[in-house]
Amino acid sequence: MEAEESVGLVGAGRMALAIATGILAAGNVKPEQIIASAPSDNNLCKFKEMGMRTTHDNGSVVKNCTVLFLAVKPHLLTNVLVNICPLVTPAHLVVSVAAGVTIDTLESLLPQGCRVLRMMPNLPCTVLQGASVFCRGTHATTSDADLLKGLVSACGLCEETPESYIDIHTGVYLFAEALIDGAVKMGMPYELSKKLVAHTLLGAGKMMLDSGEHPAKLKSDVCTPGGTTVHGLYQLEKGNLRSTVMDAVGAATDHAREVGKRLQPHQGLGQR
Ligand SMILES: NC(=O)c1ccc[n+]([C@@H]2O[C@H](COP(=O)([O-])OP(=O)(O)OC[C@H]3O[C@@H](n4cnc5c(N)ncnc54)[C@H](OP(=O)(O)O)[C@@H]3O)[C@@H](O)[C@H]2O)c1
């Protein structure tokens, strides 16, 4: 990253903090080169404690950064963009993390020719184990994509994809909770169960990455004929776990796309 680049975050909630934490961990940007805004001090205080600059004025963020992250809730983004649009210049690279808000919508609310990236990160960026995808807008270049990747390189995996993949994002906490509750039901203390489940998930993910094997192969490797694992698997199949999970990914994706459609700019708001 160029020394004169600076980072702005409009919105200072959980996702903004996760991204800022990752950016600082990458080490190319100093805390004082990051500025974040929010209406209240509720979340800004965490940024302040980490040495970053804060403000209640979104315009001040735009004026003091070259890479601008938009990290407010999707339903607030249109108004935020209408207000900051006049301050956005060709020097800005705009990165939106708002779920469901499409490149089309972002570009229609930003100045003509604006370089836009749409990113879908997740909260494990906070612990530098995130999994993020992003896509490029019409005017964003390879070096813009490289700039984002460099900035968030410490956040975890960050892959460029077509925009149609961005809404396909899911989580695993419900599975973790169910595994913990199952062990607790059978008599294991909660804290031990939680620790074992978290490490099991970490280990399984690492096995998938390091071995390059399909999970079906890894699963069959641990299924002793007539053993405990296959008895558990039988219950999962009876409960339609696989089709339920596939439906859940579909439902989450459809919802994100619906949100995006509801946020299509109204006539008049989309002036460039
Ligand atoms: N959380 C996730 O796992 C996740 C994952 C991927 C993408 N995202 C996306 O990230 C975005 C933020 O989500 P979040 O979970 O970080 O939400 P959050 O924790 O509720 O944070 C929202 C932030 O926006 C601030 N805000 C509200 N109105 C504002 C305005 N007019 N101008 C500037 N800032 C304003 C809030 O201010 P206060 O601090 O004063 O309340 C807060 O700091 C959303 O678009 C979401 O779709 C989230």
Side-chain angles (χ1 to χ4, degrees), residues 11-15 38-40 43 58 71-74 76 97-99 120-121 123:
R14 292 162 301 170
M15 205 58 247
S40 78
N43 293 296
N58 295 338
V72 295
K73 291 287 186 194
L76 299 173
V97 302
M120 186 49 55
L123 287 181

Side-chain angles (χ1 to χ4, degrees), residues 9-17 37-44 47 56 58 70-77 79-80 96-101 119-124 169:
L9 298 133
V10 170
R14 292 162 301 170
M15 205 58 247
L17 188 65
S37 64
S40 78
D41 283 324
N42 296 347
N43 293 296
L44 284 178
F47 289 76
H56 298 304
N58 295 338
L70 303 171
V72 295
K73 291 287 186 194
H75 68 280
L76 299 173
L77 191 59
N79 274 345
V80 165
S96 166
V97 302
V101 183
M119 182 186 188
M120 186 49 55
N122 63 6
L123 287 181
H169 211 271

